[in-house]
Amino acid sequence: MMRRVLFAFLLVLSFVGCSTPNAERVLADSLIANSQKYLGKTVEIEGTVVHVCGANAQKMKLKTEKGSVIMIAASAEIPAFSRKLSGERIRVVGLVRESVVDSSYVSNSEKQKSLLCHIDNTPCKDSAWVRRQIDAGRVDSLSQRDIRRLRGTMSATGKSFVATVVVEAVQIEVIKKENR
């Protein structure tokens, strides 16, 4: 009798542990095109990891089918990502939010000659990389490049801000490649 109860408990636990938390399956490109619709909602998307943050592995760039990028952020459930995910096609379940930088932020970054993260445009936390850029005398040119990129995006969209779609990952699964 005790074995049956234990088996039933483990069976229920395995289903609970493997379930996707009320996630709506969305094409990654559709998420970008309709990000406002999904803000605050849990989604399931797929894409290819093209970069894992070298500083603390708490951010990744996920490339969509059409070549756009979604930021995948760490969460309480997944506090950091394996760098081995780079190049892998993955399925991500997580909460959708936006990271927004406005024109005053861009102007301030320009004055400070900030080196910005290419994932979400915040100041880069990879102190070793930043130090190498300072030592090589590349800070001005890299900072100016980032500022031009952000202003170009604002100009192209007619908005005074740049929004990056962010998914706070609660589940990640590598999608196995089919043998051909």
Side-chain angles (χ1 to χ4, degrees):
M1 177 68 178
M2 184 58 124
R3 283 185 181 175
R4 286 184 184 174
V5 170
L6 181 59
F7 177 76
F9 174 76
L10 291 174
L11 186 61
V12 168
L13 187 61
S14 70
F15 283 117
V16 171
C18 295
S19 66
T20 302
N22 297 328
E24 181 177 347
R25 191 156 201 211
V26 179
L27 292 174
D29 286 303
S30 180
L31 174 60
I32 291 173
N34 303 295
S35 63
Q36 295 300 310
K37 173 182 172 183
Y38 296 104
L39 289 178
K41 296 183 180 175
T42 301
V43 298
E44 177 182 316
I45 59 171
E46 293 181 10
T48 302
V49 177
V50 293
H51 178 77
V52 177
C53 178
N56 55 19
Q58 293 181 333
K59 300 182 222 176
M60 297 192 287
K61 285 172 85 171
L62 188 76
K63 187 175 177 182
T64 69
E65 296 297 323
K66 293 182 180 176
S68 296
V69 172
I70 296 174
M71 177 181 147
I72 308 300
S75 67
E77 290 84 354
I78 304 174
F81 304 113
S82 168
R83 289 182 176 82
K84 293 179 182 178
L85 288 172
S86 193
E88 295 285 352
R89 181 154 181 84
I90 64 170
R91 180 174 298 118
V92 179
V93 175
L95 182 67
V96 178
R97 63 178 179 81
E98 280 185 327
S99 173
V100 177
V101 297
D102 62 16
S103 57
S104 65
Y105 173 88
V106 173
S107 294
N108 190 41
S109 294
E110 182 177 33
K111 287 176 193 166
Q112 294 180 358
K113 297 183 181 185
S114 299
L115 292 178
L116 301 177
C117 172
H118 59 94
I119 301 175
D120 65 355
N121 304 305
T122 59
C124 182
K125 293 181 180 177
D126 188 343
S127 58
W129 180 82
V130 170
R131 173 59 46 206
R132 287 193 305 274
Q133 304 319 307
I134 291 168
D135 292 347
R138 291 191 286 257
V139 171
D140 287 346
S141 63
L142 291 173
S143 178
Q144 289 171 5
R145 179 201 63 193
D146 292 341
I147 299 304
R148 279 192 308 272
R149 178 181 48 80
L150 289 169
R151 287 195 172 131
T153 300
M154 285 187 243
S155 178
T157 62
K159 297 177 180 175
S160 62
F161 63 91
V162 174
T164 301
V165 177
V166 179
V167 175
E168 290 182 11
V170 295
Q171 289 181 352
I172 294 178
E173 173 187 359
V174 174
I175 299 171
K176 303 292 182 201
K177 297 175 182 138
E178 295 179 24
N179 294 332
R180 294 182 189 240

